[in-house]
């Protein structure tokens, strides 16, 4: 639908709610984010290592600390995606193989009181 809208010159028009019910989005923006190779597709698990590196190399600078906060409970990531592997691939794409991954402890159950991280 988005491709057709863009081809018809309606790329700046909003997609119908049934096509993307999370938030209003234009056809152009939808394709930039969700099309294979879309101009703003930086985090897809189906990108090759070379594609990730090409897209993300400007983000990281060797010697500079960078935090990637990635949720294991992200509802927009298919359950078939190995999230830890994807985070490692993102790190390598940003700054090469010079990063470490540290996992946060699981969150406290709601209503169980405050938790302290040390």
């Amino acid at each position: 639908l988005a491709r057709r809208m863009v081809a018809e010159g309606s790329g700046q028009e909003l997609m119908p709610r049934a096509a993307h019910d999370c938030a209003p989005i234009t056809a152009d923006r939808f394709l930039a984010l969700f099309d294979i190779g879309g101009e703003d597709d930086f985090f897809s698990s189906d990108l090759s290592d070379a594609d990730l590196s090409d897209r993300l190399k400007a983000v990281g600078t060797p010697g500079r600390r960078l935090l990637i906060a990635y949720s294991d409970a992200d509802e927009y990531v298919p359950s078939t995606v190995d999230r830890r592997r994807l985070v490692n691939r993102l790190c390598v794409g940003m700054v090469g193989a010079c990063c470490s991954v540290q996992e946060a402890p699981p969150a406290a159950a709601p209503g169980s009181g405050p938790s302290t991280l040390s």
Side-chain angles (χ1 to χ4, degrees):
L1 175 62
R3 284 191 193 102
R4 187 179 79 222
M5 288 174 68
V6 169
E8 293 171 353
S10 300
Q12 290 299 304
E13 298 298 321
L14 292 176
M15 296 281 294
R17 186 179 302 264
H20 185 69
D21 63 356
C22 296
I25 190 168
T26 66
D28 285 336
R29 183 72 177 141
F30 184 89
L31 289 177
L33 290 171
F34 299 109
D35 202 11
I36 294 173
E39 62 189 38
D40 288 334
D41 181 8
F42 291 101
F43 307 108
S44 291
S45 60
D46 59 354
L47 291 172
S48 71
D49 290 340
D51 286 337
L52 280 174
S53 182
D54 285 345
R55 290 170 182 263
L56 299 173
K57 63 186 171 191
V59 174
T61 302
R64 188 177 278 172
R65 295 179 65 120
L66 177 67
L67 171 68
I68 298 173
Y70 194 90
S71 172
D72 271 344
D74 187 331
E75 67 269 25
Y76 297 104
V77 177
S79 61
T80 56
V81 172
D82 181 340
R83 293 164 183 193
R84 288 185 177 95
R85 182 172 180 273
L86 179 57
V87 168
N88 282 321
R89 292 181 64 227
L90 292 170
C91 286
V92 170
M94 288 180 199
V95 294
C98 62
C99 68
S100 64
V101 175
Q102 298 175 349
E103 294 183 28
S112 65
S115 62
T116 304
L117 301 178
S118 56

